[in-house]
Short mmCIF file of all heavy atoms in Angstrom, two decimals:
data_model
loop_
_atom_site.label_atom_id
_atom_site.label_comp_id
_atom_site.label_asym_id
_atom_site.label_seq_id
_atom_site.Cartn_x
_atom_site.Cartn_y
_atom_site.Cartn_z
N VAL T 95 113.95 95.58 84.52
CA VAL T 95 113.28 96.88 84.59
C VAL T 95 112.78 97.13 86.02
O VAL T 95 112.18 96.25 86.63
CB VAL T 95 112.10 96.95 83.59
CG1 VAL T 95 111.37 98.29 83.71
CG2 VAL T 95 112.59 96.73 82.16
N VAL T 96 113.05 98.33 86.54
CA VAL T 96 112.58 98.68 87.88
C VAL T 96 111.18 99.30 87.76
O VAL T 96 111.02 100.35 87.12
CB VAL T 96 113.53 99.69 88.56
CG1 VAL T 96 112.97 100.12 89.91
CG2 VAL T 96 114.91 99.07 88.72
N ILE T 97 110.20 98.64 88.32
CA ILE T 97 108.83 99.16 88.28
C ILE T 97 108.37 99.42 89.71
O ILE T 97 108.35 98.52 90.54
CB ILE T 97 107.85 98.18 87.60
CG1 ILE T 97 108.41 97.72 86.26
CG2 ILE T 97 106.48 98.84 87.42
CD1 ILE T 97 107.51 96.70 85.54
N ARG T 98 108.03 100.67 89.98
CA ARG T 98 107.61 101.06 91.33
C ARG T 98 106.15 101.53 91.27
O ARG T 98 105.79 102.28 90.35
CB ARG T 98 108.50 102.21 91.82
CG ARG T 98 108.17 102.70 93.23
CD ARG T 98 109.24 103.64 93.77
NE ARG T 98 109.31 104.91 93.06
CZ ARG T 98 108.47 105.92 93.25
NH1 ARG T 98 107.47 105.82 94.10
NH2 ARG T 98 108.60 107.05 92.56
N VAL T 99 105.34 101.07 92.21
CA VAL T 99 103.95 101.54 92.28
C VAL T 99 103.88 102.67 93.30
O VAL T 99 104.19 102.48 94.48
CB VAL T 99 102.98 100.40 92.66
CG1 VAL T 99 101.54 100.92 92.71
CG2 VAL T 99 103.09 99.23 91.67
N ALA T 100 103.51 103.84 92.85
CA ALA T 100 103.41 105.02 93.74
C ALA T 100 102.12 104.96 94.54
O ALA T 100 101.20 104.20 94.20
CB ALA T 100 103.45 106.29 92.89
N PRO T 101 102.01 105.76 95.61
CA PRO T 101 100.75 105.80 96.36
C PRO T 101 99.61 106.30 95.47
O PRO T 101 99.84 107.15 94.60
CB PRO T 101 101.04 106.83 97.46
CG PRO T 101 102.52 106.98 97.52
CD PRO T 101 103.03 106.67 96.16
N TYR T 102 98.41 105.80 95.69
CA TYR T 102 97.25 106.22 94.88
C TYR T 102 96.88 107.67 95.14
O TYR T 102 97.20 108.23 96.21
CB TYR T 102 96.06 105.28 95.16
CG TYR T 102 95.52 105.33 96.56
CD1 TYR T 102 94.35 106.02 96.86
CD2 TYR T 102 96.19 104.70 97.61
CE1 TYR T 102 93.86 106.07 98.16
CE2 TYR T 102 95.71 104.76 98.91
CZ TYR T 102 94.55 105.45 99.18
OH TYR T 102 94.08 105.51 100.45
N LEU T 103 96.20 108.27 94.18
CA LEU T 103 95.86 109.70 94.26
C LEU T 103 95.19 110.10 95.57
O LEU T 103 95.58 111.09 96.20
CB LEU T 103 94.95 110.06 93.07
CG LEU T 103 94.35 111.47 93.10
CD1 LEU T 103 95.44 112.52 92.99
CD2 LEU T 103 93.32 111.63 91.98
N GLY T 104 94.18 109.32 96.00
CA GLY T 104 93.41 109.68 97.20
C GLY T 104 94.25 109.76 98.46
O GLY T 104 93.83 110.34 99.46
N ASP T 105 95.43 109.16 98.41
CA ASP T 105 96.32 109.15 99.57
C ASP T 105 97.14 110.44 99.68
O ASP T 105 97.85 110.65 100.66
CB ASP T 105 97.28 107.96 99.42
CG ASP T 105 98.13 107.71 100.65
OD1 ASP T 105 97.55 107.67 101.75
OD2 ASP T 105 99.36 107.57 100.52
N SER T 106 97.01 111.32 98.71
CA SER T 106 97.79 112.56 98.71
C SER T 106 97.36 113.51 99.82
O SER T 106 96.17 113.77 100.02
CB SER T 106 97.63 113.26 97.36
OG SER T 106 98.10 114.58 97.47
#
Side-chain angles (χ1 to χ4, degrees):
Chain T
V95 177
V96 176
I97 310 178
R98 181 169 67 79
V99 180
Y102 64 103
L103 172 64
D105 189 49
S106 166

